[in-house]
Amino acid sequence: MTSQPQSHAEDEIHRVEQTVEDVREASRLVAARYPEAIGAVLGGSAARGQSTPSSDLDVTVLLPDHGTRRREVLRHDERLAEVFLNSRADLRTAFAESRTTRRATALFLFAESIVLYDPDGHVEELRREAKALLAAGPDPLTSRECEAQRALLTDLLDDLDA
């Protein structure tokens, strides 16, 4: 009976150790490859404490305002990483696009992240904005959007009946 709580405790210790290792690896990646960064966060499974040693690292790097928005997939110290590079304006545009498309990936990646680097508070400011936008939820569907969703759902239900 006592082995289950101990097993749960050991699992929790392993999860925390993996998260600490993910933060270290992501921090080394940012320092080595992006010296111009004005901020950085670790998101995805690593930030949720659900990564494994083979999981990729989802890193968002905040660039100075003249930086070029881009996505890079790379290996650093044998670890696969997906790196999203954005200026503050680019990230705010991505937040707005997330609301418009109703796919809040950028918002979740930033709001539920672990701060890696934030010397001037820009990352925390953007995290607060992302959390507020998520809390507000999407704008209501227009009647046209509602009708399109209704038609799609009806088609899917018809397919289930067939």
Side-chain angles (χ1 to χ4, degrees), residues 1-15:
M1 206 103 179
T2 59
S3 65
Q4 275 188 329
Q6 185 177 18
S7 176
H8 177 71
E10 289 172 358
D11 289 346
E12 186 65 15
I13 289 168
H14 175 73
R15 185 187 67 74

Side-chain angles (χ1 to χ4, degrees), residues 2-160:
T2 59
S3 65
Q4 275 188 329
Q6 185 177 18
S7 176
H8 177 71
E10 289 172 358
D11 289 346
E12 186 65 15
I13 289 168
H14 175 73
R15 185 187 67 74
V16 170
E17 288 173 343
Q18 182 63 52
T19 301
V20 168
E21 182 56 29
D22 292 341
V23 168
R24 285 185 181 133
E25 288 184 34
S27 295
R28 285 192 298 267
L29 165 69
V30 171
R33 292 192 59 106
Y34 308 104
E36 75 279 20
I38 61 170
V41 299
L42 175 63
S45 61
R48 292 188 307 270
Q50 299 172 332
S51 72
T52 66
S54 62
S55 296
D56 73 332
L57 298 173
D58 296 303
V59 179
T60 299
V61 174
L62 197 57
L63 298 171
D65 290 336
H66 62 275
T68 303
R69 182 179 184 183
R70 63 191 186 277
R71 175 181 164 262
E72 297 179 356
V73 178
L74 53 94
R75 285 205 175 272
H76 182 77
D77 293 339
E78 301 303 314
R79 188 77 181 266
L80 187 64
E82 187 171 15
V83 183
F84 304 91
L85 297 109
N86 296 280
S87 68
R88 287 177 288 174
D90 291 334
L91 201 51
R92 287 184 173 111
T93 298
F95 290 173
E97 289 169 356
S98 290
R99 287 184 52 101
T100 302
T101 62
R102 299 179 187 285
R103 291 186 177 96
T105 306
L107 290 170
F108 281 112
L109 186 64
F110 219 79
E112 298 177 351
S113 63
I114 296 172
V115 177
L116 300 172
Y117 179 66
D118 189 22
D120 299 316
H122 300 304
V123 168
E124 275 305 326
E125 177 184 341
L126 287 161
R127 287 180 79 227
R128 281 191 302 274
E129 289 177 30
K131 288 176 183 181
L133 289 168
L134 284 171
D139 292 332
L141 292 173
T142 64
S143 58
R144 186 174 173 186
E145 291 170 325
C146 191
E147 191 55 40
Q149 294 300 317
R150 183 178 291 121
L152 175 64
L153 185 56
T154 300
D155 286 346
L156 291 172
L157 289 172
D158 287 346
D159 289 346
L160 285 175

